[in-house]
Amino acid sequence: MAPPSHPTWWHTGVIYQIYPRSWADADGDGVGDLQGIISRLDYLSETLGVDSLWLSPFYRSPQADFGYDVADHCEVDPMFGTMEDFDRLVAEAHRRGLRVIVDFVPNHTSDRHPWFFESRTGRNSPRRDWYVWRDPAPDGGPPNNWVSHFGGSAWTFDEASGQYYLHLFLAEQPDLNWRNPEVERAMHDVLRFWMDRGVDGFRIDVAHAIAKDPLLRDNPPAPVPDDGYKISAEFSSQRHVHDMADPDIHPMFRKIRRVVDGHPDGRDRYTVGEIHEFDWERWASYYGEALDELHQPYNFALLLTGLDPAKIRWAIEGVETAMPPGAWPNWVLGNHDEPRIVTRFGWEASKAAAVLLLTLRGTPTIYQGDEIGMEDLDIPPERQQDPWGRRMPGFGRDGCRTPMQWSEGEHAGFSPPDTPSTWLPVHPDYPRRNVASELADPDSHLSLYRRLLALRRSRPVLQLGDIELAGEEPNPLAYRRILAGEDDLWVVLNLSDDAVAVPAAVAGRVLVGTDRGREGGPVPDTLGPWEALVVG
Ligand code: GLC
């Protein structure tokens, strides 16, 4: 478990995810924009102290899936601004030492992408094979049993040509055919386009789905269909062995990696793939045995384990043992697809969650607003936006996408005061939960995040050190971070509603605590419910 041989910004740094629609609206149309982001960059670099930002899609898009339906990969949607705004954003971010990661959406495009318009003109279109078209099954139905993540068949019939096209998400998001070398080349060109404009990395959307079974075989039934976490009964009734993660995906990632590493400016760039995989060996395979695929497959373990200490131990051990030598882990507690941390765990526990996220070994990603403890909002049906929630009640993601709460002013400071309304309602708790008021409160979530981020910056052991789990019992969750010969410290988290004894081995002074009153003092004998400490 050695530190990486050449640690760079994405090993040591913290990533902050911006969902551009909901972060800062400069032009007063109720939707966030690039100018808004530029105006708030100091918040990231100075107030918070993160190292990079990941922008969810801002490309030209009909917004059927809020930007994850791209109609032009190399244009800024006018709703978000212009290419000049983007160039300024990159320059301003770089000036502050912030790296810029953009979303790369390779699995599908919008049905209004010129490629798809051309593809659907007929069976002889030169771009027909850029998407996945098939004849109907003998009974006239869809070619196979694959289902869309958003409900219903993954196939839509095109009357004009008498064939079906594949879409693992909405019918407005037809899947590209990555087995066609022209598609692969065109998408590599998209990567080059953004690297030429100075971006430092790519978050690869639905990365695990770009390679499907070449024979498009039916998925087999799942042994025990389970209406589990974020998965509908329909989706979980199948084993998803043919509609995604075909072994041919590995050469595709190797090529993407060569394109990204091969940019002539030679900068250290980063790719992180959205890989929903909890079999740790399979998950780790996306690094590539020679570390020549993704820099990181996202590790969504904490979304599955919640704050159950036994399960978190399982995830830490699983991740750490499965990674190829030299690979670097990462941890995620929230994003624009998930219920928020406070909503999942409650207020007190969410503070312990912050300590966990920012002290585990690996690159953490913070989702906008989690640092001030924003909560999901129940959106009334008439204001619901997310197509998933509208098709499948209960699965909507609007709750975690409400506007960022900057101040107690009109629209929480997200939009200018005279803006008629914001695209999603602002959470009514904004007068007390907002950046400005939390900055003034040393006991706020934001203050805790700032102390943790400052500690990470000042102690390289938190950035690069090894991790050693301690203790016989799952709770308290205790681990040591060790930078051989240089530094070490302890993290101890009571992930329960009851007081718990601190293991005797945990020694030193409290550097950061969920209870600020402990800071600077000795290690207490017991931790209160959901109390967490960094000790060193
Ligand atoms: C990813 C995105 C999600 C989007 C989906 C389809 O899961 O994170 O927001 O709906 O891909 O592109």
Side-chain angles (χ1 to χ4, degrees):
M1 211 204 280
S5 44
H6 300 290
T8 178
W9 62 271
W10 58 267
H11 297 96
T12 56
V14 177
I15 301 173
Y16 184 94
Q17 180 191 356
I18 291 180
Y19 191 68
R21 295 183 66 89
S22 298
W23 206 54
D25 167 26
D27 65 5
D29 63 355
V31 179
D33 45 50
L34 300 184
Q35 289 287 357
I37 297 173
I38 295 170
S39 72
R40 299 280 188 184
L41 287 174
D42 286 340
Y43 171 72
L44 297 181
S45 59
E46 282 173 31
T47 311
L48 202 52
V50 296
D51 304 274
S52 58
L53 52 113
W54 147 34
L55 297 172
S56 280
F58 51 84
Y59 314 115
R60 191 180 284 278
S61 161
Q63 306 286 318
D65 188 20
F66 297 112
Y68 284 97
D69 50 320
V70 178
D72 186 337
H73 297 95
C74 301
E75 261 307 328
V76 174
D77 195 284
M79 172 191 299
F80 295 116
T82 64
M83 195 58 86
E84 289 67 44
D85 295 334
F86 180 78
D87 290 343
R88 239 191 85 221
L89 194 164
V90 172
E92 290 292 324
H94 284 170
R95 204 161 63 74
R96 291 166 174 79
L98 293 165
R99 313 288 170 137
V100 179
I101 299 163
V102 298
D103 225 295
F104 175 60
V105 188
N107 181 66
H108 44 263
T109 67
S110 162
D111 62 339
R112 315 240 192 110
H113 194 294
W115 297 342
F116 191 68
F117 277 127
E118 201 178 328
S119 186
R120 80 182 309 171
T121 55
R123 293 179 184 226
N124 296 326
S125 158
R127 286 228 164 83
R128 188 64 167 180
D129 186 49
W130 280 43
Y131 294 83
V132 184
W133 291 94
R134 286 294 182 280
D135 288 334
D139 68 358
N144 67 21
N145 71 352
W146 297 357
V147 291
S148 154
H149 286 72
F150 294 156
S153 170
W155 297 90
T156 287
F157 188 63
D158 174 56
E159 294 282 345
S161 65
Q163 286 192 311
Y164 282 85
Y165 68 87
L166 177 67
H167 51 88
L168 293 187
F169 292 87
L170 298 174
E172 293 87 347
Q173 293 169 294
D175 278 43
L176 282 166
N177 174 18
W178 271 71
R179 293 183 183 277
N180 180 325
E182 290 177 23
V183 169
E184 204 172 22
R185 270 200 299 275
M187 292 306 283
H188 290 171
D189 284 345
V190 173
L191 295 170
R192 291 192 187 94
F193 176 88
W194 291 104
M195 289 193 286
D196 288 347
R197 300 205 96 86
V199 313
D200 302 285
F202 299 96
R203 176 267 187 189
I204 307 180
D205 186 62
V206 214
H208 58 294
I210 61 175
K212 289 106 174 150
D213 174 36
L215 303 175
L216 305 186
R217 282 171 288 189
D218 277 356
N219 281 325
V224 188
D226 149 37
D227 204 355
Y229 166 70
K230 269 197 68 176
I231 292 186
S232 65
E234 182 189 35
F235 199 80
S236 74
S237 69
Q238 300 183 356
R239 287 178 53 221
H240 292 271
V241 291
H242 291 319
D243 54 350
M244 57 180 85
D246 186 81
D248 290 339
I249 206 158
H250 295 287
M252 292 175 188
F253 287 150
R254 281 197 286 275
K255 282 187 249 174
I256 287 180
R257 179 64 178 266
R258 282 204 294 274
V259 170
V260 171
D261 285 352
H263 192 273
D265 68 14
R267 299 225 309 265
D268 274 322
R269 287 199 168 82
Y270 170 65
T271 53
V272 59
E274 189 194 13
I275 305 279
H276 290 276
E277 176 63 74
F278 300 105
D279 173 311
W280 298 125
E281 301 299 325
R282 279 210 295 270
W283 168 79
S285 73
Y286 293 103
Y287 285 98
E289 273 170 38
L291 300 186
D292 55 356
E293 296 186 29
L294 300 171
H295 293 82
Q296 297 189 321
Y298 262 130
N299 165 15
F300 292 124
L302 297 176
L303 299 177
L304 193 72
T305 63
L307 294 182
D308 177 328
K311 291 184 183 162
I312 295 172
R313 282 171 188 264
W314 161 81
I316 294 172
E317 280 165 2
V319 161
E320 291 287 350
T321 47
M323 283 186 307
W328 187 245
N330 71 89
W331 298 92
V332 173
L333 258 175
N335 60 37
H336 64 294
D337 295 327
E338 306 294 335
R340 284 192 177 273
I341 297 175
V342 178
T343 305
R344 261 178 293 152
F345 306 134
W347 188 249
E348 282 310 314
S350 72
K351 291 187 178 176
V355 174
L356 181 71
L357 178 68
L358 295 175
T359 60
L360 283 170
R361 186 178 101 110
T363 314
T365 300
I366 298 173
Y367 174 53
Q368 67 177 46
D370 281 347
E371 77 278 20
I372 55 168
M374 278 178 66
E375 282 191 66
D376 274 29
L377 178 61
D378 237 341
I379 310 282
E382 68 282 4
R383 288 210 64 183
Q384 278 184 23
Q385 302 279 343
D386 181 19
W388 194 356
R390 298 207 326 205
R391 292 163 62 107
M392 297 172 70
F395 285 86
R397 298 164 293 178
D398 291 332
C400 69
R401 297 176 176 178
T402 60
M404 179 70 180
Q405 294 161 208
W406 294 101
S407 70
E408 57 181 27
E410 193 68 13
H411 307 301
F414 164 75
S415 288
D418 53 353
T419 306
S421 78
T422 54
W423 79 284
L424 278 174
V426 174
H427 198 296
D429 71 4
Y430 80 89
R432 74 193 151 81
R433 200 166 299 173
N434 63 68
V435 170
S437 68
E438 293 201 20
L439 272 177
D441 173 6
D443 290 314
S444 66
H445 263 59
L446 183 55
S447 295
L448 175 65
Y449 271 83
R450 294 179 73 201
R451 295 199 303 280
L452 287 164
L453 287 162
L455 186 67
R456 269 189 75 99
R457 283 205 165 169
S458 66
R459 297 286 288 267
V461 62
L462 280 174
Q463 302 167 13
L464 289 169
D466 276 0
I467 188 166
E468 239 173 43
L469 283 166
E472 304 290 306
E473 297 297 319
N475 198 51
L477 177 65
Y479 47 89
R480 254 177 103 200
R481 299 292 311 277
I482 306 160
L483 199 55
E486 287 185 34
D487 194 9
D488 67 71
L489 45 71
W490 280 97
V491 181
V492 49
L493 305 107
N494 178 8
L495 302 179
S496 80
D497 291 327
D498 304 310
V500 71
V502 176
V506 179
R509 298 195 87 68
V510 176
L511 299 168
V512 174
T514 45
D515 173 357
R516 194 175 50 93
R518 301 264 204 217
E519 292 179 6
V523 181
D525 295 336
T526 54
L527 293 180
W530 301 104
E531 185 174 359
L533 305 175
V534 187
V535 172

